[in-house]
Every structure is written in structure tokens, then in C-alpha cells.
Amino acid sequence: MKRMLSTILTASLLGAALSGCGSKPAQESSTTQAAATTQAPTKAEAETAAPGADQAGAQEDNKEWFGTPDGKTVNLRFYGGVQPEYGYDEVCQRFNEEYKDKGVQIEYVRYVNNTDGNLQLDIYLQGGGEVDVFMGYGGKSALNKRVEAGMVLDMADYLKAYDFDLVKELGEINMLNYTYDNGECYGFPTKYENGVWMLINADMFNAAGVPIPYDGWTYSEFLDAIEKLTHGEGQEKVYGMCWEFNENWSGHSAMLGSALDPYAAYKDADATEVNYDHEVWKQGFEMMKTSLDNGWAVSIEDEVSENIKCANFFLEEKCAIALNVSQMRLVMDQENYPHDFVTALVPSPVPDGEEYNTPLHRTHSQKVGAGDLICVAAKTEYPDAAFEFAMWYLTGGMAPVAKGGRIPLWTGFNKDSIVAMINENAGDSIDEKSLRNYLAIDNTQGVKSILSPVNSQIGDIYKEEVQSLLYGRQTVDETIENLVSRCNKQLADAAAK
């Protein structure tokens, strides 16, 4: 099964005219299936006559044939939670062109990445015959449920056959959450996203005379900037900042705690006490409250009542900064979200003081950002072909999804090719210097967050208390006091059981 990975990357970046993802027109999304399929033939139609049996036998000898023993091509189904037009249709096209003589073709099926969509995917995985490869979201907790239910194939032996070391190729920190005690591998991350980077309207910064913080900035510099960027009144008001409480609640807490990682939430590795009484949290809460109290950031009341999101606020030029780099795909989608300004990607600010004003902290390189877990269904009829696709995707084939803002995690990826792909799709809508800075982050240097057995409950308490602060029902000091007492009681009660 081993083959040269360099050929994958070369072939995946070819821009030649390519064949379609399947033999039938694309299906429409449906609520029953929670899916939108890119040119999806049925499984019954999937096996078509391949080149003659002699050729099939030759390919089988050098591990270049992934179809049936009698020389027929098999069709795989690849389920993912992102719309096909954000690069996944092109991924299919490129794979199908490269593998048209190797006995395998693939089609992309979109499932909605919510509770109902994941339930439907689980039903398909349990039943077998529908899903061959899929993208999983939600980290190891979501993966574990599928592993325990026997839905996911252990790929450890396949990786050994390929002589592919995931820790070396993706970085040890990026594999920590997906490593099992006996060496099993049920999935591996494919994309990198630093969730505490921001989207900024570079044109607004230039017009206000505010330097673009390519190399990071402090809380003081940030507050000074958003004051200058805020102007107008009523419906015409433009805010310096949108915290994205409505669409990306966890973004602000990840940013405020970033300087303390891995001890953002807990004081030590034992997770017996929370760390919310650290001075860094107080500085962060005060900075955030200052932005809101002065009207430089849109209020949480308005965010919720007006259902404010990146698409209807940042892209409509109602704010200069949005804490939601995950929405970069919308910035590049000029067809559905037309706009005429340039967006730059910049790190979120760090606390004032020399201790946190370092290159590591200013770029937030310590944040782990591995995601988009590619898995092979345990009940696939074609595990060899499914794993072949997974490896092809990881080591070059996923290049087209960079157009949708999904940055490849693999350390062997050519960064210039990613920039070229994004520029081809986004034109002048992304500031290239900032994009290169984002791609230059050493994504293997992250630190693993410390978790507790009641991490979910701690998160709920955090949300309740910080929302009380944001709605003006309590002060920063009261918020910290309540957080510490409630969370530590939760931890103590859990330890006593």
C-alpha cells in the first residue's frame, strides 16, 4: 500500500481540467438525510467496468489498484459537514482524475454538523454500506462515542504499512487528543485553525490611521485602536469591535486565557482548583468590559437580539474587527458575500507587561488548532481504498479546501501553494502579508489544555457568570469571586464522589 507521498502533492496541485465527481447530477439537500451530495451515484451504480483484467492484475501487484479483484471500479462516499462548493467538490474532481485508472472514485456528501445531522450520520455508520470516509468534528469526546460504538476503523496497521508517522508529520501536540493506549488510530486531524486570531477590516484601519498589528498587540494598544475605529450614531454607527458572543461564545475565553496556557482554566495539572483569580483574567475581563461600556464594541444585548454574525456585521462593514477567524471562508466567498474591502488576519491582543509581550504570546503559537478529523467507517466494504483516499487527502489532496479557509495541518504542505490557492479564490480580499504570518505559525508548538472530569459543568458556570458581567448585573471582582467559589465547589464535589 505504500507509495511516494511527493506524487500526491504534485498531482493534487495540478490545475488542469478535471473530470466530475460521479456519473449522476448532484442531488439536492434533504432534511431526511441532512445531506447535499456532489454528483452522487448509488452504491449499486458504483461498480463499473475498469481496464482489462490483465491491467488490473498488474496494478494490484504494485499496489496501484484499489478496485475489485475482478477489475471493477468502486465508488466511495465521503461525508463532511461543509458545503461542497468550499473546495470539496474540487477535491473529488482531482481525486477522480488521478485515480480513474486505479479502480476507485469518490463522491462528497454533505451532512449538517449539528445534533440531528450527526445522529443521521451515526445511523448510517451503524448500518453500513452508506459511508466509507467521513469528517468528524467535536474533538476526542465526539470520536470516543463512535469508537465505543464500533463505528470507526482502526487505521494503525495501514499507517505502519505506509510507514507514515502521524506524530512526526502532524506534530506531537496535534495528535495527543487522538492517541489511544494501545496504539490504535481511529482518525487524524487534517486542518489547522488558530481560534484566537481576528479578522480586521484593513481599509478601516488605514483610514483611521491605525497600524495593522501584524506582529501582535497589547490590551492598551487594542483599546486605543477600537476607540479610533468607532464612529457614527444609531443605524449608521460603525463599531471598532465585535466580540462574536452570539456566534462564537468560546472565542473570547480562549483569547483571555491564552497567555496562561496550559493553565488557563486550572491552576495545575491535577485540576483541583480553577485559575480564574489570576491577574490575567482580571485584566482581560476589565479590558473587555471597557470596550463595551464605552460603546467601542457592540453589546451582547444587540448581538443576541439582532442575531449578529460575521456575515451580517463584519462583512457589511458595521465593525472593524471580529473575533472569528473561522469565518475566513465567508471573507473569500465574494459570490455570496460581495464586499470591496481587504481583510487582514491578526493575532488577538495580549495583556500589558513584558511577561506576556513575547513572540510566542503575541502570535498565540501555544494554541492547539488541529481539527477536521478524517475517519474511515468500520463497515466500509472498501477499507483499502478508503484509507488510500484519507492519506491522499491529508498529504496534498485537500489543497482546494484552502479556498474555503481550511488551512492544511500536514507539515509537508507547501505554504506558497496554499497562498496561491487562496489568492486565486479570494483575489485582493485577503491581505497577503497577514495570511503569510498566519501560515508561518509553528503549529507543532501548541500546549495541551488541562481538563477536569467536570469540564462541561465548569464551562456552564463560566458562561453564566461572565454573561452576568456582560449584561451589567455584576462587577469584574464579583464575577471572579463567583467563578472561583462555584467552580471550586463543583470540583470538590466531583472529587468526593
Side-chain angles (χ1 to χ4, degrees):
M1 298 186 72
K2 192 184 301 183
R3 58 189 170 80
M4 295 297 293
L5 294 178
S6 59
T7 62
I8 311 173
L9 182 56
T10 304
S12 70
L13 296 175
L14 290 176
L18 301 169
S19 65
C21 284
S23 59
K24 292 179 70 176
Q27 299 174 0
E28 296 294 325
S29 304
S30 74
T31 3
T32 21
Q33 295 186 343
T37 307
T38 302
Q39 298 194 1
T42 65
K43 280 283 186 183
E45 296 168 323
E47 296 185 355
T48 54
D54 290 342
Q55 182 179 349
Q59 288 174 323
E60 200 167 26
D61 287 340
N62 60 17
K63 310 300 182 186
E64 287 295 316
W65 178 253
F66 298 95
T68 64
D70 58 347
K72 293 181 179 178
T73 294
V74 300
N75 188 285
L76 303 176
R77 283 190 169 161
F78 172 35
Y79 271 62
V82 178
Q83 297 94 318
E85 60 267 26
Y86 288 120
Y88 290 93
D89 48 2
E90 189 174 342
V91 166
C92 285
Q93 291 168 2
R94 292 183 176 208
F95 181 84
N96 289 343
E97 175 66 16
E98 185 177 340
Y99 280 75
K100 63 185 179 182
D101 297 324
K102 298 181 182 181
V104 59
Q105 297 284 274
I106 199 156
E107 56 183 288
Y108 180 76
V109 183
R110 189 214 171 185
Y111 72 93
V112 181
N113 182 27
N114 59 17
T115 302
D116 291 342
N118 277 284
L119 176 60
Q120 183 66 74
L121 176 61
D122 288 346
I123 291 171
Y124 288 152
L125 291 170
Q126 286 278 31
E130 177 65 28
V131 183
D132 299 290
V133 186
F134 68 93
M135 279 296 181
Y137 312 94
K140 192 173 183 180
S141 59
L143 175 64
N144 280 343
K145 293 175 183 177
R146 287 173 172 147
V147 170
E148 291 164 6
M151 300 178 184
V152 194
L153 182 74
D154 177 9
M155 296 181 281
D157 288 341
Y158 282 100
L159 288 161
K160 289 176 184 175
Y162 267 67
D163 193 22
F164 193 86
D165 185 341
L166 288 171
V167 170
K168 178 182 177 183
E169 299 289 348
L170 302 182
E172 182 179 7
I173 187 63
N174 294 316
M175 285 304 300
L176 273 179
N177 282 333
Y178 307 109
T179 301
Y180 287 81
D181 292 341
N182 298 316
E184 302 95 335
C185 177
Y186 295 103
F188 41 83
T190 59
K191 75 154 188 178
Y192 175 75
E193 178 180 286
N194 193 312
V196 295
W197 275 52
M198 296 170 151
L199 303 174
I200 71 165
N201 185 317
D203 293 2
M204 287 187 183
F205 270 66
N206 292 332
V210 178
I212 295 174
Y214 288 112
D215 300 317
W217 44 353
T218 64
Y219 286 171
S220 295
E221 292 167 335
F222 167 75
L223 289 173
D224 181 63
I226 62 173
E227 179 181 9
K228 292 175 180 176
L229 290 161
T230 301
H231 58 88
E233 298 291 339
Q235 295 298 314
E236 302 302 316
K237 182 171 183 176
V238 174
Y239 292 88
M241 178 66 184
C242 179
W243 285 105
E244 293 271 6
F245 297 127
N246 183 51
E247 188 175 32
N248 181 32
W249 170 258
S250 63
H252 81 274
S253 60
M255 168 194 151
L256 299 185
S258 177
L260 296 174
D261 281 336
Y263 304 109
Y266 302 101
K267 287 186 181 293
D268 54 39
D270 295 330
T272 55
E273 290 183 90
V274 292
N275 206 20
Y276 295 127
D277 54 354
H278 195 286
E279 181 63 23
V280 163
W281 283 104
K282 183 172 183 177
Q283 285 186 40
F285 289 145
E286 288 175 342
M287 176 273 298
M288 193 164 61
K289 197 72 166 62
T290 298
S291 73
L292 295 164
D293 290 348
N294 285 284
W296 304 332
V298 60
S299 69
I300 188 172
E301 293 93 337
D302 286 347
E303 279 207 40
V304 173
S305 65
E306 298 176 25
N307 195 25
I308 286 174
K309 298 181 178 180
C310 182
N312 64 15
F313 212 72
F314 178 76
L315 289 180
E316 293 188 9
E317 299 185 75
K318 296 178 180 178
C319 68
I321 307 170
L323 181 57
N324 205 346
V325 76
S326 66
Q327 299 303 302
M328 185 169 64
R329 63 186 174 84
L330 304 186
V331 174
M332 297 189 291
D333 186 355
Q334 289 282 2
E335 182 178 348
N336 293 304
Y337 303 98
H339 56 281
D340 59 5
F341 64 88
V342 175
T343 295
L345 316 178
V346 302
S348 58
V350 297
D352 293 275
E354 292 183 9
E355 184 179 358
Y356 305 108
N357 196 12
T358 66
L360 176 73
H361 288 109
R362 286 172 72 92
T363 59
H364 300 281
S365 299
Q366 75 276 26
K367 297 300 290 185
V368 178
D372 282 12
L373 199 69
I374 196 164
C375 306
V376 173
K379 294 186 177 180
T380 178
E381 298 175 54
Y382 314 114
D384 289 5
F387 181 77
E388 176 75 7
F389 171 75
M391 288 299 296
W392 176 91
Y393 180 91
L394 174 70
T395 55
M398 68 177 289
V401 303
K403 297 190 302 184
R406 305 187 103 74
I407 305 300
L409 178 65
W410 182 44
T411 56
F413 232 105
N414 184 298
K415 301 294 177 68
D416 288 336
S417 70
I418 300 173
V419 172
M421 185 71 68
I422 290 175
N423 284 342
E424 177 187 342
N425 187 59
D428 296 328
S429 60
I430 296 286
D431 177 85
E432 185 170 322
K433 179 179 178 180
S434 73
L435 175 61
R436 289 188 178 276
N437 281 353
Y438 185 66
L439 294 176
I441 298 172
D442 184 351
N443 61 31
T444 67
Q445 297 302 306
V447 292
K448 185 180 181 182
S449 298
I450 295 168
L451 304 177
S452 75
V454 289
N455 215 64
S456 177
Q457 293 92 320
I458 297 298
D460 291 341
I461 293 171
Y462 177 92
K463 186 171 186 178
E464 291 169 10
E465 295 299 335
V466 174
Q467 282 188 342
S468 290
L469 170 67
L470 299 175
Y471 279 107
R473 296 193 288 262
Q474 62 188 24
T475 66
V476 168
D477 287 340
E478 289 168 341
T479 300
I480 291 172
E481 182 180 350
N482 293 342
L483 271 173
V484 171
S485 62
R486 290 185 63 194
C487 290
N488 283 348
K489 184 178 186 304
Q490 185 79 53
L491 290 165
D493 289 346
K497 290 181 180 178

